[in-house]
């Protein structure tokens, strides 16, 4: 299965992608996780990206296109992949199509996870992350032990860009630059809407129902 998980910040893309990756045994490719790993490691790419991320702006297209081109060619993508957080602009979507044509791994489906803005703000402000990529929520999805990642035992932290001012900016950037891709993928016949407002397990079940109907 070659999947794009689409949706606004806080829709639950990362949460669902982790579960889907296990269930279908395909890699979860999160451009946000890749960028944050670069920031942590202090790479040149990370230092450049951080300036944009801290302001809630998008990192330039050419940077992301390079990352995704390299990542999709790794052998673990041969049986499929889940893209989370990419594409976010029209040039990114067009570049993706070219790359996927070149490597013969065209998309099967774009799952658009829908959640109203008011709920997104509550999700993002209560989000707690682990450096392993796992995300939790203080109220809706808390770890077994407070402040500690269930998956790896790491210490949970709040993302700098989950502060309220930055969250508002990210939602604006989403509406202006990313949301138009819904129409782009709908016209290609690839879009399936998912109601993202239920519990994590309910959303997961909805997605699996859709994906199972696509599997050969
Ligand atoms: P995204 O990757 O789309 O930005 P996340 O998966 O990180 O979103 O989820 C954002 C926050 O909302 C996290 O704190 C997560 O635990 C929480 N969350 C995810 N899915 C749900 C859900 N169905 N109901 C309530 N909270 C959720
Ligand atoms: P979200 O919770 O909004 O899904 P991500 O972890 O996907 O957050 O992204 C965090 C930040 O990383 C974004 O606000 C942006 O600065 C940068 N970023 C991630 N993916 C992309 C992308 N495809 N294009 C541009 N910037 C990106
Ligand atoms: Zn962890």
């Amino acid at each position: 299965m070659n999947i794009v998980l689409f949706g606004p910040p806080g829709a639950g893309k990362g949460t669902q992608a982790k579960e889907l990756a296990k269930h279908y045994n395909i890699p979860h490719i999160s451009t946000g996780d890749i960028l944050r790993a670069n920031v942590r490691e202090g790479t040149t790419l990370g230092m450049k990206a951080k300036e944009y991320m801290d302001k809630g702006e998008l990192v330039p297209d050419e940077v992301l296109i390079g990352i995704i081109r390299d990542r999709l060619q790794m052998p673990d993508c041969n049986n499929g992949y889940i893209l989370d957080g990419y594409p976010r602009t029209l040039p990114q979507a067009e570049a993706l199509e070219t790359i996927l044509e070149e490597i013969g791994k065209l998309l099967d489906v774009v799952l658009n996870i829908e959640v109203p803005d008011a709920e997104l703000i509550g999700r993002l402000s209560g989000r707690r992350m682990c450096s392993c990529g796992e995300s939790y929520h203080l109220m809706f999805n808390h770890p077994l032990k407070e402040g500690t990642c269930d998956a790896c035992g790491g210490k949970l932290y709040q993302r700098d860009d989950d502060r309220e001012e930055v969250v508002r900016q990210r939602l604006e950037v989403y509406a202006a630059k990313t949301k138009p891709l819904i129409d782009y993928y709908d016209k290609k016949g690839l879009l399936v809407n998912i109601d993202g407002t239920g519990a994590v397990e309910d959303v997961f079940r909805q997605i699996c129902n859709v994906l199972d109907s696509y599997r050969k």
Side-chain angles (χ1 to χ4, degrees):
M1 294 293 302
N2 302 339
I3 305 165
V4 165
L5 267 191
F6 194 84
K13 302 181 297 295
T15 303
Q16 296 299 331
K18 286 255 162 219
E19 292 306 313
L20 293 167
K22 277 185 242 164
H23 189 79
Y24 293 102
N25 195 27
I26 48 179
H28 167 205
I29 302 176
S30 157
T31 46
D33 287 350
I34 294 171
L35 292 171
R36 279 184 292 279
N38 275 276
V39 170
R40 261 197 315 278
E41 288 156 19
T43 66
T44 315
L45 174 82
M47 287 190 291
K48 187 176 174 203
K50 190 176 190 318
E51 290 171 32
Y52 297 92
M53 295 168 81
D54 283 350
K55 287 188 282 192
E57 298 289 347
L58 295 180
V59 175
D61 285 338
E62 63 271 19
V63 175
L64 270 297
I65 292 168
I67 290 176
I68 220 70
R69 180 191 300 278
D70 292 346
R71 183 63 187 87
L72 284 169
Q73 293 188 53
M74 287 165 74
D76 64 340
C77 295
N78 285 345
N79 294 323
Y81 52 81
I82 305 169
L83 289 182
D84 159 15
Y86 184 100
R88 267 176 151 97
T89 64
L90 188 58
Q92 289 184 20
E94 288 169 346
L96 178 65
E97 203 172 335
T98 307
I99 295 166
L100 294 177
E101 271 166 13
E102 279 167 17
I103 62 179
K105 294 178 188 162
L106 287 180
L107 284 174
D108 292 305
V109 63
V110 175
L111 298 165
N112 175 34
I113 308 182
E114 298 182 295
V115 174
D117 272 12
E119 199 168 328
L120 294 174
I121 292 169
R123 286 191 185 187
L124 293 167
S125 57
R127 172 158 68 183
R128 294 296 180 271
M129 293 288 291
C130 178
S131 60
C132 78
E134 208 72 38
S135 78
Y136 298 88
H137 193 280
L138 294 179
M139 280 158 65
F140 310 134
N141 181 20
H142 49 82
L144 297 172
K145 184 163 175 266
E146 199 187 317
T148 306
C149 177
D150 293 346
C152 78
K155 192 168 170 289
L156 303 185
Y157 66 94
Q158 181 169 33
R159 273 169 52 174
D160 288 340
D161 61 349
D162 278 346
R163 283 170 296 117
E164 200 179 326
E165 335 66 273
V166 188
V167 163
R168 251 185 261 116
Q169 172 64 17
R170 284 162 58 207
L171 291 174
E172 278 176 29
V173 168
Y174 172 78
K177 300 196 172 151
T178 308
K179 208 173 175 193
L181 294 181
I182 292 177
D183 208 35
Y184 173 86
Y185 283 121
D186 195 22
K187 287 196 176 116
K188 291 187 181 289
L190 289 171
L191 193 79
V192 175
N193 291 321
I194 301 289
D195 175 4
T197 58
V200 172
E201 300 72 29
D202 297 335
V203 179
F204 181 68
R205 224 167 295 124
Q206 259 189 83
I207 294 178
C208 289
N209 285 340
V210 170
L211 293 181
D212 290 340
S213 73
Y214 277 79
R215 281 218 280 188
K216 289 135 211 154

